[in-house]
Amino acid sequence: MSDNTIRQGILELLERECSILDFDNLWSSEELEALTATWLSDHFQCSRNLISHYMSELQQKGQIIKINTRPVYFFLRKSLEERFSVQLQSDIYETLEEMRNELKAADKKHAFMNLIGAQDSLSYVVEQCKAAVSYPDHGLPILLQGPTGTGKSLIAQLMFQYGKDTHILSADSRFVTVNCSEYANNPELITANLFGYKKGAFTGAECDNVGMIKAAEGGVLFLDEVHCLRPECQEKLFLFMDNGNYRMLGDNEHQYHSTVLLVFATTEDPETVLLKTLLRRIPVRIEIPSLEDRGIKEKTSILVEALDIEAKKMRRNITISNTAFNALLNARYTGNVGELFNVVQATCMNSLFHNKKEGVLEIHTLNLPGKIISNHHIDRNSILFDTHQMLSLDQLEQHA
């Protein structure tokens, strides 16, 4: 294999291994075996010295985290930083525990504290979410309502993380997501997947399946786009919500029990798309505001955050002309925060294609998506000769 093939193979393998590690429990040597030079040299059929050489190169580029134990372990920086939404302070740690402690400390701080608007437009949302998770004995069902792209999925995940951080939910609890829209035309399938089924319950049921309610036991089951559920499935859900009991498909003799916090989300008016009997069993209903309703200050912070995320992905310093930034800031995003992030990503892609400077990404009006340019009537001269003031992300954060 060529040098580039091995280097790319190492990065892909480390990304896979880092993504499946359980950070809530101590690791065994077997779990970390694939993160050692010895294992990698056997896997790629090359010398251990060559692997160590590649690792040294990747570490100098800031792509690898080295744990200076015996044996030495290597982690992919990108995987760790994206998973915990942090920026690690070092390339080398003396022990695994030292790195884990930094990641866990950052992880605990991340729940709601880093959510833009947590102290302002989303303060009531955050307060209600914390209260719903904390309510004895196992929290209260909650419905998040708001337009597409407002961050309902993120808020549901932060609820789960808050529950773990405060030890309301156990360290090994799970966050299970169900996108109900995927089952809109197959109500039988989502019923089977939610409540589980026994072998032979239907054609293709070749083994028992415990279902997603049981898989989320002790944690959070997030039902996104819940308005897509057929009435018969909604009925089974509210019966389960009454006492936590349910039956698996194909098993009428046994009753099963599960304790799980249910979080629902919808873009529609709940009163018109959900059964009254289901709504009565959801005591906490929260409306998530649209991006435009959150004010220019928060919109600025969200835009800077989106740019910062792309900068970290590309490991480049981003500067943006004030014309381009104002065009992005003043644009209306019908898809809210989600669409804003997509537009920023497209802008950075265009900039990367035109920009060959090492370590720097300059964004000009030329790099904006077409609909942003046309909606703001930016003239051709501004696009071709954008020599306006260039702003760094640090400068933008100071004015956010």
Side-chain angles (χ1 to χ4, degrees), residues 21-23 25-29 31-32 75 96 99-100:
L21 281 175
D22 181 0
F23 282 82
N25 299 299
L26 293 175
W27 298 314
S28 65
S29 56
E31 287 180 286
L32 300 178
F75 292 80
L96 286 164
M99 182 187 74
R100 284 169 60 97

Side-chain angles (χ1 to χ4, degrees), residues 290-309:
S290 69
L291 179 60
E292 295 303 320
D293 289 337
R294 294 177 61 177
I296 196 67
K297 182 178 179 181
E298 285 185 22
K299 190 175 181 181
T300 301
S301 296
I302 292 168
L303 178 52
V304 173
E305 181 185 54
L307 288 165
D308 187 50
I309 288 172

Side-chain angles (χ1 to χ4, degrees), residues 131-188:
V133 175
S134 306
Y135 198 85
D137 286 326
H138 308 292
L140 291 176
I142 185 170
L143 173 64
L144 305 175
Q145 176 192 354
T148 185
T150 48
K152 297 184 291 296
S153 297
L154 172 62
I155 290 171
Q157 291 169 3
L158 292 177
M159 286 179 64
F160 171 68
Q161 189 59 53
Y162 174 79
K164 291 179 69 175
D165 291 346
T166 53
H167 306 294
I168 295 168
L169 302 177
S170 64
D172 60 352
S173 60
R174 295 180 59 192
F175 180 86
V176 177
T177 299
V178 182
N179 190 329
C180 300
S181 65
E182 296 177 3
Y183 301 90
N185 298 317
N186 198 337
E188 295 81 10

Side-chain angles (χ1 to χ4, degrees), residues 82-85 107-108 110-113 115 125 129-130 133 142 144 151-165 169 173-178 219-224 261-265 288:
E82 288 185 357
R83 187 167 175 180
F84 290 90
S85 299
D107 194 31
K108 288 183 183 297
H110 185 62
F112 288 121
M113 290 183 65
L115 178 66
V125 172
C129 287
K130 288 180 177 180
V133 175
I142 185 170
L144 305 175
K152 297 184 291 296
S153 297
L154 172 62
I155 290 171
Q157 291 169 3
L158 292 177
M159 286 179 64
F160 171 68
Q161 189 59 53
Y162 174 79
K164 291 179 69 175
D165 291 346
L169 302 177
S173 60
R174 295 180 59 192
F175 180 86
V176 177
T177 299
V178 182
V220 171
L221 179 63
F222 176 52
L223 292 149
D224 198 10
L261 176 59
L262 292 174
V263 179
F264 304 92
I288 313 299

